[in-house]
Amino acid sequence: MGQRITDVNILVGYDKNPVPVPTGWKKIDTDLNSGVGGDYLYLVYERHDQDEPITDIRILVGDEKPPKGYEKIPVDLNKGAVDADSGKPHPLFMAVTRKGDGKPIEDLRIASWVDGEKKVDPPSGYSRIDTDLNAGVSKEEDGGTTTTHIYLDRKPAVS
């Protein structure tokens, strides 16, 4: 049995300087607020072969409570970003579980594209969490509003 993802977190940066990654953690090098302003946010995860692995990840909207058995990561995935038209924030949070019937998660990837570009499909063997991590936020540029779509893809472990 190989190493599975056992913990996830969000690193918050306030400028373009690299965000230090804790020892033993892996950073996905895509700003979760890419293209919409706000703080610089990066998903990091840790892998072990003996700790209890994460089996599911959900995205919570606003003050939605996590389902039973899920732990909420207390960092707004849209921290500092707002909708360009309304000026209002749209908070999103990640919740994870190590319980249930799901297979352990072996890998995570971020897919992103800008309005008007071709949608990026998940890589082979990955499934997409069906919530845009930039949902409800946008940025005004060159007289128009644009949105960069950010999705989290996960790869379940093969038995």
Side-chain angles (χ1 to χ4, degrees), residues 82-88 138 140 145:
V82 297
D83 177 63
D85 296 325
S86 70
K88 294 183 180 180
S138 57
E140 188 156 336
T145 302

Side-chain angles (χ1 to χ4, degrees), residues 6-117:
T6 55
D7 208 357
V8 297
N9 209 339
I10 306 297
L11 297 180
V12 181
Y14 299 98
D15 56 30
K16 289 187 177 188
N17 293 324
V19 177
V21 180
T23 302
W25 290 70
K26 179 175 172 144
K27 177 175 109 177
I28 298 177
D29 206 23
T30 299
D31 174 13
L32 300 181
N33 272 337
S34 177
V36 295
D39 296 347
Y40 294 87
L41 304 175
Y42 296 92
L43 178 65
V44 293
Y45 59 89
E46 191 173 34
R47 284 188 171 127
H48 292 283
D49 53 9
Q50 296 180 348
D51 292 344
E52 195 172 2
I54 292 174
T55 58
D56 192 27
I57 299 173
R58 299 227 178 138
I59 305 301
L60 309 174
V61 178
D63 56 2
E64 178 183 354
K65 302 290 183 228
K68 185 177 181 179
Y70 283 73
E71 170 190 348
K72 180 178 177 179
I73 309 299
V75 176
D76 179 0
L77 299 175
N78 284 331
K79 183 175 173 55
V82 297
D83 177 63
D85 296 325
S86 70
K88 294 183 180 180
H90 187 76
L92 296 176
F93 296 89
M94 186 178 294
V96 301
T97 188
R98 293 168 180 80
K99 313 241 184 272
D101 298 332
K103 291 182 178 181
I105 295 174
E106 182 175 282
D107 196 26
L108 296 169
R109 296 214 173 157
I110 298 291
S112 69
W113 63 92
V114 178
D115 280 342
E117 292 181 353

